[in-house]
Each structure stands twice: as structure tokens, then as C-alpha cells.
């Protein structure tokens, strides 16, 4: 049997570390960003690839959830049609605070190549967006980097909404 | 991006008018040249009026009157072995002839032949539904209604299929602008936030390649980020791009580029 030896006499006798509320809350939040599965088009395939074993989102604490009530971040992966616009708003409203939105790929950012009557020209016409990922479709690395930037954004702000938000990074 | 020009008369007014130019036509053959088609045509002619018939690209095209469409298709399905309706839709001839051409593409697996039944209807005229004969006509007729506004009498569920139910306009009409009319441009804003939000959200930006270096509301220069709305002067401070904050994060080891090792030996 392994022998664990804890020296209770060092650090003033307690196995403790000091930090601030903001830091510990943001540490928790930023390392368990649960994402809403929102694959609307081919970007959804890249999002699935990011979640699968090679890129492995689980190590960031990012787990895909099928319910907006359990999700922290909505990754809009794909073309948003005007018919679907009301549903993205409804799902966004159902997410609990604090919540973030990643717009993934050209179609979600600006409408992309679908310069037509049926496509919403950027999801930011409907919901506020935190991160825009370029690409058609973005590589899983891009989405990974995006999630890391989002973690950084979460840590850079105050944990409480009552305090005014700081600028990202 | 090309400016939108009204296309009401685009069919009536060809942009290329060479007096001696003869546009190439796919050759048409008489139905008598194929005995299977000829027999089919004779049995249709025995019961219904046929306005025109020819063979083009090994398929027979038959023009009928619009009131006969159910009867002709029933005859073809039950007696002539054309058991599949592979496609149906309409063609917009509003500018030319103020109407639509509706076509039914029929396939016979036994005879290995295809026949296209065509008919002309006036603008605003409805067609008889063939949904009772072919289940595939169910969605096709709804799509025809959605895209052209042609109603099918006797259809069990005559509603739009692709566009939302509260949509206005028929997108496959030649007069419908590709980027949408006023209604389409504001559809999602009006529906979700109401008309009064139009001013705040603003019109759609249709130039997807637009980049404005001096617009700090919409764009952020990587490595030179400034707060939103700042006036860009050109001497923005450099922000070093790092995966993690300088002080490190509680309980997470900071990634140090200096001390990292690149493994270049594949046999390690």
C-alpha cells in the first residue's frame, strides 16, 4: 500500500491556498464550458470532429449537451436560414446565464456564400456573439483555439454580472 | 457586387439581338419515329385533345389542355404502364405569355421510356391535384405552390413546404430578386424583435468580403485589439498573443514556449 505523507506543519499548518472569489468562480466556469449541440450545416461536422477522440474537447471540460438549459455556450455551426431564425432566438433565451455564443464559419458570421433571400446575413442580427471563427468550414484547431480564447475571455471578466464587464483580454 | 436591376421584362427583351444569329435547338423528331411512343400517343389522343407532341433527347413531350391533366395521368398510370411520377413543377412564362407551363415527368420501368406531359395555365389559374394518383405529387405540388403560387385543387394540405408559412412572395418567379424583397430582408427582425427594432439592427450587409480596418465596432485587428468603438489612429499598442494570461491560472500549469520540446524523432 502506498504511503501518503502530508506535512501539516508547513504553510501555517493548513493544506490551503488563497485566491479571490472571481478567480475561483471563473476557474470553474472556464474549465467546464458545456456547449449546446447546434450543427446547422457542414460546420457541424467539424464541430463533431472537434468533440471526437482526435481533438477531444472533453479535456477542456467542454461537453456537448442536447439541452439549452444545461449549456453555457452556443456554437452556431452552419448556415442560419430565416425560417430557423426564431428558433435560435428561443434556444438562446432558454440558456441560463452566464452564456456565450461562438459563431463558427462564414455562413454564421456573415451569411457566407449564401447571398440569397433565405439566409440570415450573420447570426449577430439575432443574438449577441462573443467569438467569430473564420473559415469555410473552420478546422477543428480553429474551434479549439476559439474555445481557449473564450476561456480567456471568461477569466478576464468579473464573475458577478453586477460588476461592469471588462474588455476581452 | 452587381446592383439589382428590375427583371420584369427580362424575358421579353433579350439582351443579345444579332439579326443573323440562330440559337441552336435540340433536334425534335416526330413521334412516329418511335413505335412505343407512337402507340402511347395514339391511346392518349383517343381520349384527350393533344395540342403538340414530339420526341426530344429520346423522351416524348406531349402538350395537353390543363383541365385534362388528371385524366391523362390516370390513363398513363393504369393503361400505359407509366407508373412513376419522377418530377413535376412549373416554368415561369409570365413576361412572355402571362402564365406558367406545368410539367409532369413520367417514367415507365417496364417500357424503359420517359414521357413529359406539359400544359399551359394562365396566371392565377389553379391546376387539378394529381396527389390521389401519385404520392410523390404531394410535396411537389406544395413546392409548386410555395415557389410559384400555383394552387392545386383537391390537395389535402395546400401549404408552403420550404418557406415559412407566414412568408410573402414566391421565390422561384423570375421577377423575385435573388437577395429578397423588402419583406424578405426584414423577415427575421420583424418576426423576432418587431418593426421598431429595424433601425437598431440595421440593414443586411450583403458584401461578405467587406473589411473595414478603421471600424472598431465590427472588426478587431488581431494583435492590436482595442476597446469597442475606439477611434483607430494607426498606432495601436501590440498585444502579444498568448494562450494564457501572464500570471497563469489557478491550478493550471502555464504553457512555457521556452521550455517546451519539439519531438522530431518519429521513432522516439
Amino acid at each position: 500500500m502506498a504511503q501518503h505523507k502530508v506535512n501539516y506543519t508547513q504553510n501555517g499548518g493548513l493544506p490551503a491556498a488563497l485566491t479571490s472569489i472571481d478567480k475561483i468562480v471563473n476557474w470553474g466556469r472556464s474549465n467546464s464550458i458545456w456547449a449546446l449541440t447546434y450543427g446547422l450545416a457542414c460546420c457541424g461536422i467539424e464541430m463533431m470532429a472537434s468533440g471526437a477522440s482526435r481533438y477531444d474537447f472533453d479535456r477542456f471540460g467542454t461537453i456537448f449537451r442536447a439541452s439549452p438549459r444545461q449549456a453555457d455556450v452556443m456554437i452556431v455551426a452552419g448556415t442560419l436560414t430565416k425560417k430557423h431564425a426564431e428558433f435560435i432566438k428561443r434556444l438562446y433565451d432558454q440558456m441560463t446565464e452566464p452564456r456565450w455564443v461562438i459563431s463558427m464559419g462564414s455562413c454564421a458570421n456573415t451569411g457566407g456564400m449564401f447571398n440569397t433571400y433565405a439566409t440570415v446575413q450573420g447570426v449577430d442580427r439575432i443574438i449577441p456573439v462573443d467569438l467569430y471563427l473564420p473559415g469555410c468550414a473552420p478546422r477543428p484547431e480553429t474551434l479549439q483555439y476559439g474555445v481557449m480564447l473564450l476561456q480567456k475571455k471568461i477569466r478576464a471578466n468579473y464573475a458577478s454580472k453586477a460588476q461592469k464587464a471588462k474588455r476581452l483580454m | 457586387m452587381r446592383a439589382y436591376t428590375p427583371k420584369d421584362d427580362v424575358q421579353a427583351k433579350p439582351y443579345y439581338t444579332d439579326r443573323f444569329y440562330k440559337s441552336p435547338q435540340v433536334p425534335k423528331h416526330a413521334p412516329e419515329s418511335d413505335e412505343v411512343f407512337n402507340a402511347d400517343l395514339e391511346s392518349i389522343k383517343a381520349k384527350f385533345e393533344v395540342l403538340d407532341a414530339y420526341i426530344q433527347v429520346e423522351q416524348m413531350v406531349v402538350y395537353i389542355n390543363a383541365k385534362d391533366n388528371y385524366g391523362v395521368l390516370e390513363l398513363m398510370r393504369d393503361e400505359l404502364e407509366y407508373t412513376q411520377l419522377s418530377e413535376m413543377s412549373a416554368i415561369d412564362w409570365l413576361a412572355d405569355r402571362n402564365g406558367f407551363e406545368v410539367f409532369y415527368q413520367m417514367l415507365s420501368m417496364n417500357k424503359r421510356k420517359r414521357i413529359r406531359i406539359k400544359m399551359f395555365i394562365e396566371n392565377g389559374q389553379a391546376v387539378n391535384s394529381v396527389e390521389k394518383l401519385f404520392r410523390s405529387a404531394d410535396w411537389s405540388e406544395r413546392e409548386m405552390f410555395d415557389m410559384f403560387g400555383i394552387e392545386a385543387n383537391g390537395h389535402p394540405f395546400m401549404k408552403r413546404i420550404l418557406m415559412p408559412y407566414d412568408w410573402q412572395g414566391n421565390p422561384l418567379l423570375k421577377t423575385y430578386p435573388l437577395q429578397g424583397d423588402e419583406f424578405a430582408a426584414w423577415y427575421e427582425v420583424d418576426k423576432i424583435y418587431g418593426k421598431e427594432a429595424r433601425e437598431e439592427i440595421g440593414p443586411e450587409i450583403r458584401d461578405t468580403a467587406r473589411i473595414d480596418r478603421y471600424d472598431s465596432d465590427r472588426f478587431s485587428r488581431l494583435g492590436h485589439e482595442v476597446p469597442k468603438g475606439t477611434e483607430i489612429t494607426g498606432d495601436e499598442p501590440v498585444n502579444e498573443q498568448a494562450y494564457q494570461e501572464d500570471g497563469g491560472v489557478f491550478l493550471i500549469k502555464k504553457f512555457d514556449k521556452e521550455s517546451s520540446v519539439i519531438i522530431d524523432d518519429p521513432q522516439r
Side-chain angles (χ1 to χ4, degrees):
Chain A
M1 231 172 122
Q3 297 273 318
H4 295 287
K5 205 169 181 185
V6 180
N7 186 1
Y8 289 108
T9 56
Q10 73 177 19
N11 290 339
L14 286 170
L18 289 178
T19 182
S20 65
I21 295 285
D22 271 340
K23 272 197 172 169
I24 190 91
V25 171
N26 283 337
W27 168 77
R29 275 182 187 163
S30 66
N31 287 297
S32 65
I33 308 174
W34 287 7
L36 178 64
T37 44
Y38 215 120
L40 290 171
C42 30
C43 279
I45 303 294
E46 297 295 304
M47 187 177 69
M48 290 172 223
S50 318
S53 53
R54 177 175 282 264
Y55 294 96
D56 196 10
F57 256 167
D58 286 8
R59 64 204 165 98
F60 295 99
T62 298
I63 300 165
F64 286 105
R65 308 301 298 178
S67 162
R69 293 174 202 284
Q70 298 170 357
D72 302 304
V73 60
M74 176 190 260
I75 303 175
V76 187
T79 321
L80 180 66
T81 57
K82 297 203 175 189
K83 194 179 183 178
H84 193 79
E86 57 173 315
F87 305 118
I88 204 170
K89 178 71 169 69
R90 192 187 298 172
L91 288 167
Y92 178 77
D93 288 344
Q94 285 175 354
M95 286 164 67
T96 48
E97 296 265 7
R99 58 194 171 189
W100 299 276
V101 176
I102 294 178
S103 160
M104 180 180 179
S106 298
C107 293
N109 292 342
T110 63
M113 61 190 240
F114 298 103
N115 195 358
T116 66
Y117 58 90
T119 308
V120 176
Q121 302 293 306
V123 286
D124 51 3
R125 290 177 65 77
I126 309 295
I127 51 176
V129 175
D130 292 277
L131 278 177
Y132 300 86
L133 306 182
C136 181
R139 292 275 307 166
E141 288 92 331
T142 314
L143 184 55
Q144 264 185 345
Y145 181 56
V147 169
M148 287 162 85
L149 279 181
L150 183 65
Q151 287 182 328
K152 210 168 148 184
K153 176 174 181 174
I154 293 168
R155 287 186 211 120
N157 280 303
Y158 296 112
S160 165
K161 243 180 83 175
Q163 279 167 296
K164 205 168 165 279
K166 284 189 285 183
R167 174 72 185 175
L168 163 67
M169 288 164 282
Chain B
M1 201 167 37
R2 201 162 45 182
Y4 175 72
T5 49
K7 296 184 180 58
D8 300 325
D9 55 347
V10 74
Q11 293 169 9
K13 205 169 56 184
Y15 61 91
Y16 184 68
T17 48
D18 182 351
R19 282 173 61 197
F20 304 106
Y21 180 75
K22 233 181 139 187
S23 64
Q25 298 279 323
V26 181
K28 297 173 181 173
H29 307 287
E32 290 79 33
S33 58
D34 187 301
E35 52 184 82
V36 181
F37 278 150
N38 200 26
D40 292 340
L41 185 61
E42 288 308 318
S43 31
I44 297 174
K45 268 183 178 168
K47 286 187 179 173
F48 303 100
E49 188 190 354
V50 172
L51 306 176
D52 190 13
Y54 52 85
I55 296 177
Q56 201 174 27
V57 204
E58 297 173 13
Q59 298 180 20
M60 186 161 73
V61 181
V62 180
Y63 282 85
I64 58 165
N65 286 317
K67 62 178 167 48
D68 295 334
N69 69 337
Y70 189 91
V72 171
L73 260 63
E74 193 176 31
L75 172 84
M76 291 186 68
R77 188 190 71 172
D78 296 340
E79 291 170 33
L80 304 181
E81 294 182 312
Y82 286 86
T83 49
Q84 281 187 31
L85 175 68
S86 40
E87 194 184 351
M88 65 152 292
S89 190
I91 302 162
D92 175 359
W93 288 109
L94 284 176
D96 248 14
R97 290 183 260 158
N98 191 34
F100 300 93
E101 217 167 51
V102 180
F103 65 89
Y104 300 91
Q105 178 78 15
M106 314 288 296
L107 167 66
S108 170
M109 297 292 274
N110 294 345
K111 294 179 178 174
R112 286 186 277 172
K113 292 284 187 194
R114 288 177 197 272
I115 288 183
R116 185 155 57 250
I117 303 289
K118 281 191 161 190
M119 61 196 205
F120 186 79
I121 58 166
E122 296 288 317
N123 188 16
Q125 190 184 339
V127 298
N128 299 320
S129 171
V130 294
E131 190 268 339
K132 297 281 182 297
L133 295 172
F134 298 100
R135 289 287 287 122
S136 68
D138 185 351
W139 284 11
S140 297
E141 275 170 354
R142 281 179 68 189
E143 191 190 355
M144 189 168 76
F145 171 66
D146 193 354
M147 293 291 146
F148 295 99
I150 303 170
E151 284 189 55
N153 288 335
H155 191 282
F157 192 68
M158 193 79 265
K159 282 204 165 199
R160 287 180 182 275
I161 190 168
L162 293 171
M163 305 311 291
Y165 288 160
D166 56 350
W167 190 264
Q168 291 171 17
N170 304 102
L172 222 53
L173 294 179
K174 296 221 185 289
T175 49
Y176 195 87
L178 173 66
Q179 296 176 356
D181 49 13
E182 169 87 7
F183 173 82
W186 294 102
Y187 174 76
E188 76 276 22
V189 174
D190 287 355
K191 188 166 189 185
I192 298 172
Y193 297 105
K195 276 199 164 67
E196 58 275 14
R198 281 188 182 191
E199 202 164 315
E200 198 177 330
I201 293 174
E204 292 176 324
I205 296 170
R206 286 288 180 172
D207 184 2
T208 53
R210 196 185 77 100
I211 291 170
D212 188 354
R213 161 131 170 39
Y214 296 97
D215 180 1
S216 66
D217 281 327
R218 292 203 178 81
F219 299 97
S220 170
R221 196 172 154 216
L222 209 60
H224 298 270
E225 291 90 349
V226 289
K228 190 176 183 176
T230 308
E231 195 135 328
I232 305 282
T233 52
D235 51 346
E236 280 66 45
V238 182
N239 300 330
E240 195 63 49
Q241 288 293 303
Y243 288 102
Q244 241 180 47
E245 296 84 339
D246 275 343
V249 183
F250 176 55
L251 282 186
I252 298 176
K253 197 179 167 193
K254 183 163 167 59
F255 170 69
D256 185 11
K257 242 181 186 170
E258 307 294 306
S259 66
S260 66
V261 182
I262 295 171
I263 300 167
D264 50 5
D265 176 17
Q267 304 296 324
R268 63 181 189 279

